[in-house]
Amino acid sequence: MDPSATEAAIETHDHPTAGDAPAALRVDHRAPDRLVLQRGIFTGPSARVSDELYVVVEGGAHRQRSTLRMDEGSTGHTNTYFGRFAASYWQRWTTVTEVRATMVLDVAATANIRLVASDIAGHRRIIDSARVEGSGPVTLSTALDQYVDGGALWLEFDAVGGALTVGELTWSADAPKRVRPVAIAICTFNRADDCAATVAALSSDPTVLAAIDAVYVIDQGTDVVENRPRYQHVAPIFGDKLRYIRQPNLGGAGGFTRGLYEVSAVTEHADVILMDDDILCEPETVLRLNAFANLTVEPTLVGAQMLFLLNPDYLNVGAEEVHLHRLRHGQRVPKALRNTSMVTKNQERRVDAGYNAWWTCLIPAEVVAKIGLPIPIFFQWDDVEYGIRAREHGFATVTLPNAAVWHADFYWKDYDDWARYFSTRNSLIVGSLHSDLDASRIARFVFRELAEHLVAMQYGLVHTILQGIEDFLEGPKVLHDGGVAALKAARTSRDDYPETIKHPAASPPVRSADIHVRRAGGEPSRTTLVLLKRVIAQWLGRTQPGLVGITREDAHWWHVSLFDHVVVTDASQSGVRVRTRDKARARRLLWRTVRVLRRLRRELPTVQAQYRAAMPDLSSRANWERLYGLTETRTNR
């Protein structure tokens, strides 16, 4: 969840919570003989999504969500993003040793059906096949015993002598003795329409709806979801399963933790799927995550992948890890796909994630029972910290291919934003909790980063990053209110820096006729030397005068720093920002940087020990009850 607009807290309302949770959430469920692992889906949840993410057909075809009708002579296959069965992941992480693909066919004349596999290199081989000359159910099966490092399964169809209709396609395996209850927790802040659409998506699929035992909507905003007509329309469909909770704005950390808090208060058997409010939800993903979690050998966090919302064919990253020594999360696991069209490429290799972001991620009940709740760091790095902590306690994370939601593209968000405060502060907190940070190395790394921002005339960004470091050095007390004061300070303090303000592209605070667009050349090979030259040139005033326009793709520090007055396109493509060289301000920020980083080198070991000592209290139920106002509410009652 990306907080915005207002940081005002709202009073916690008396909506149903743990005390009257749905009865189905409290007990394990009797499993069927075979558990459906995934279904055959032939078209997406929105017109903006390419059908070729689901099934590819050459010839005439008529698609419905769970039914595919192919004209005579047509061929089709499910060797697609959502159509494939991720055999390597199921073999590596679950108890499944054999899988069946079952479907109901309506065959006008003759049809050929093939069960096909790939290996880590993408080589195709036929595993099983059937020539079908009559309508009815068909089953093809195979052992899962040759896919450890990579490979997938899919189906191919030939409508030979007439039309062919494929329906009720499922991939199944022997079921466990019991199926756990599962709840979904959606965290939202002033994205009422988006959240209502996500809730509606969950209600749109009867099979998925039946598999969900509870849905918690945690609303932290002032534009409330429950007032939206779409939410009011679909709420009755959930019956007793839907729970709506309002609380103060405590960021994504506070919203998602509320879901974990409520469910774990009822039972230690229920898994929780955390889900962003502003996604385009593929309901089938819920079924796949839940099935996988019920069959893992050991309790495992199971995350969905992220496809880009504005470029729906593209995968963000196959699997992510964190580099704590450099304070970097969202790092691509080696050999994982990144920013790749999933219409033109498949994921053959199994890549193991370090953690999974909480756009959609299943947390097993055992994890909450053993490691407690997340820490109140408002947002950013909360999912990273929880994934690292879970792994330290023996719980791995799997990012499951062919299970995904669409989320806003990250590269459409400008790096120069108030959120950088939380990213900086929280990266230091998480690094301190889970590694022995090298203070000198971190200081050198941060100094280089800030120097680049200074020569790029991003003075507000430098201030925001320094503010995050300064608050980190204050120790755990900075987390006492869950981030409310920090949010306000991070947002309002940037008002002193004009280049942080976004202006309409058609009416910037300069004369458009004076703007001359300057394109960047190639990236320099000796960046440290170039940085030194830029610093000297700016210090001596030897930058190029005049008003220059720079596109987002060219807004590299080594290009922007050549000029003293630039208009830069915002990453959101919704406006522009104006940067002006200010030697006095740069000098003040430089000396502040030196002082803050000197303090970081000196105090980091002590502050790190303080955060580690405070960890049990920060993640405790009592601390979160205090932040939610539940302790006071119960006392007054």
Side-chain angles (χ1 to χ4, degrees):
M1 186 201 74
D2 182 13
S4 59
T6 178
E7 58 280 340
I10 59 174
E11 182 181 355
T12 302
H13 285 212
D14 246 350
H15 287 284
T17 57
D20 62 346
L25 195 60
R26 301 175 184 270
V27 295
D28 289 352
H29 306 316
R30 179 176 296 175
D33 292 336
R34 296 189 65 81
L35 186 66
V36 173
L37 312 182
Q38 70 178 55
R39 297 174 300 169
I41 302 296
F42 302 114
T43 189
S46 166
R48 73 177 74 175
V49 174
S50 171
D51 285 339
E52 293 198 348
L53 288 171
Y54 293 84
V55 64
V56 173
V57 178
E58 294 184 8
H62 309 273
R63 303 166 184 260
Q64 293 181 321
R65 182 74 171 156
S66 58
T67 304
L68 174 68
R69 184 183 183 278
M70 299 167 54
D71 295 342
E72 179 181 355
S74 297
T75 62
H77 65 80
T78 64
N79 187 20
T80 61
Y81 182 80
F82 284 107
R84 305 181 110 213
F85 180 79
S88 60
Y89 288 78
W90 287 90
Q91 181 180 347
R92 167 63 180 88
W93 295 104
T94 75
T95 59
V96 176
T97 58
E98 176 263 354
V99 64
R100 296 178 192 170
T102 303
M103 67 215 82
V104 175
L105 303 182
D106 185 354
V107 182
T110 303
N112 293 328
I113 313 296
R114 292 178 295 277
L115 176 61
V116 186
S118 63
D119 58 19
I120 194 171
H123 299 139
R124 172 184 176 275
R125 66 185 187 274
I126 297 174
I127 300 297
D128 196 2
S129 64
R131 184 173 181 84
V132 183
E133 297 180 345
S135 300
V138 173
T139 297
L140 302 178
S141 62
T142 184
L144 287 187
D145 58 0
Q146 295 179 311
Y147 307 92
V148 173
D149 289 336
L153 295 166
W154 65 88
L155 292 166
E156 296 179 350
F157 310 104
D158 301 331
V160 179
L164 167 65
T165 299
V166 182
E168 300 179 38
L169 171 58
T170 61
W171 298 80
S172 67
D174 289 336
K177 293 181 179 179
R178 295 283 178 176
V179 173
R180 294 171 176 225
V182 63
I184 293 178
I186 303 172
C187 172
T188 187
F189 177 82
N190 286 351
R191 287 196 175 112
D193 288 332
D194 289 340
C195 185
T198 299
V199 174
L202 295 172
S203 71
S204 68
D205 190 314
T207 300
V208 172
L209 184 61
I212 301 170
D213 296 291
V215 175
Y216 287 84
V217 176
I218 297 93
D219 194 340
Q220 304 185 124
T222 53
D223 184 10
V224 296
V225 178
E226 67 177 346
N227 291 341
R228 286 296 190 272
R230 191 171 190 183
Y231 179 87
Q232 294 172 349
H233 175 72
V234 302
I237 298 174
F238 290 92
D240 183 53
K241 295 181 178 182
L242 187 60
R243 292 292 183 271
Y244 183 87
I245 300 172
R246 294 191 64 198
Q247 67 179 32
N249 179 24
L250 297 168
F256 286 129
T257 298
R258 185 62 181 270
L260 296 173
Y261 170 87
E262 293 292 338
V263 174
S264 60
V266 177
T267 175
E268 292 187 355
H269 298 281
D271 298 336
V272 182
I273 298 177
L274 305 178
M275 181 176 286
D276 267 343
D277 56 348
D278 58 343
I279 59 171
L280 173 58
C281 177
E282 171 50 80
E284 173 67 14
T285 291
V286 172
L287 185 147
R288 297 182 185 187
L289 297 184
N290 193 33
F292 195 91
N294 271 285
L295 289 166
T296 53
V297 176
E298 298 176 337
T300 303
L301 288 77
V302 188
Q305 293 184 330
M306 172 190 148
L307 298 167
F308 289 132
L309 190 60
L310 295 177
N311 298 279
D313 294 350
Y314 279 75
L315 176 71
N316 172 39
V317 62
E320 295 180 299
E321 61 184 8
V322 59
H323 298 167
L324 290 178
H325 63 287
R326 297 183 66 244
L327 306 180
R328 287 289 184 263
H329 68 332
Q331 302 302 294
R332 180 177 67 91
V333 170
K335 302 297 184 179
L337 300 180
R338 185 176 203 116
N339 193 22
T340 303
S341 171
M342 301 316 296
V343 169
T344 60
K345 192 172 182 63
N346 288 317
Q347 306 169 95
E348 302 294 359
R349 183 184 298 271
R350 197 197 80 244
V351 287
D352 295 337
Y355 72 97
N356 200 96
W358 286 351
W359 44 68
T360 297
C361 184
L362 182 147
I363 311 295
E366 291 90 343
V367 173
V368 181
K370 188 167 185 178
I371 76 173
L373 298 169
I375 55 175
I377 53 179
F378 197 75
F379 92 131
Q380 296 214 2
W381 285 82
D382 48 327
D383 46 8
V384 180
E385 189 282 323
Y386 204 70
I388 295 172
R389 193 179 354 146
R391 185 172 291 273
E392 290 174 347
H393 286 79
F395 302 104
T397 295
V398 172
T399 298
L400 185 62
N402 320 124
V405 296
W406 290 267
H407 186 280
D409 310 31
F410 289 143
Y411 57 83
W412 286 70
K413 298 181 180 181
D414 205 285
Y415 188 86
D416 188 354
D417 184 76
W418 59 265
R420 200 54 46 198
Y421 163 85
F422 288 101
S423 180
T424 301
R425 187 199 70 178
N426 295 349
S427 68
L428 287 164
I429 292 173
V430 176
S432 295
L433 289 171
H434 298 289
S435 70
D436 293 323
L437 295 177
D438 184 328
S440 296
R441 182 179 183 182
I442 293 295
R444 288 195 301 270
F445 175 74
V446 173
F447 182 82
R448 170 60 183 263
E449 181 182 64
L450 293 178
E452 293 176 359
H453 296 324
L454 281 174
V455 298
M457 297 170 283
Q458 294 178 290
Y459 307 120
L461 177 58
V462 173
H463 159 75
T464 301
I465 292 172
L466 290 173
Q467 190 177 23
I469 299 172
E470 290 165 342
D471 278 7
F472 161 75
L473 292 171
E474 292 300 308
K477 64 183 180 182
V478 76
L479 304 179
H480 181 74
D481 68 349
V484 176
L487 173 63
K488 182 177 182 180
R491 290 171 60 86
T492 58
S493 64
R494 289 171 56 84
D495 294 341
D496 296 333
Y497 299 90
E499 81 282 354
T500 66
I501 300 172
K502 184 172 63 176
H503 306 279
S507 55
V510 293
R511 289 203 324 172
S512 293
D514 296 334
I515 302 174
H516 302 278
V517 176
R518 296 291 297 272
R519 299 302 308 269
E523 182 175 358
S525 58
R526 303 175 67 182
T527 55
T528 300
L529 179 60
V530 171
L531 178 59
L532 181 59
K533 288 181 177 180
R534 297 291 192 270
V535 170
I536 294 172
Q538 289 202 352
W539 191 262
L540 297 178
R542 295 176 180 172
T543 50
Q544 299 178 32
L547 188 57
V548 172
I550 297 178
T551 64
R552 173 61 183 173
E553 64 179 341
D554 287 338
H556 310 290
W557 65 264
W558 40 266
H559 180 58
V560 175
S561 56
L562 290 169
F563 314 100
D564 60 9
H565 197 186
V566 298
V567 178
V568 179
T569 306
D570 190 79
S572 66
Q573 296 293 308
S574 61
V576 297
R577 304 194 193 198
V578 181
R579 306 182 197 174
T580 305
R581 185 173 66 89
D582 187 333
K583 181 177 178 179
R585 173 159 278 178
R587 182 171 57 242
R588 290 194 298 271
L589 286 169
L590 177 61
W591 289 123
R592 181 181 168 194
T593 297
V594 171
R595 292 193 302 270
V596 170
L597 295 184
R598 183 181 298 149
R599 184 183 167 199
L600 180 65
R601 285 194 299 269
R602 183 176 64 249
E603 299 179 17
L604 180 57
T606 300
V607 175
Q608 178 171 276
Q610 293 173 354
Y611 278 105
R612 291 184 176 184
M615 181 65 174
D617 177 66
L618 290 172
S619 59
S620 69
R621 299 184 70 85
N623 187 45
W624 280 107
E625 287 172 352
R626 178 186 62 82
L627 291 169
Y628 295 141
L630 298 179
T631 304
E632 180 181 350
T633 300
R634 289 167 181 168
T635 301
N636 291 339
R637 287 178 179 174

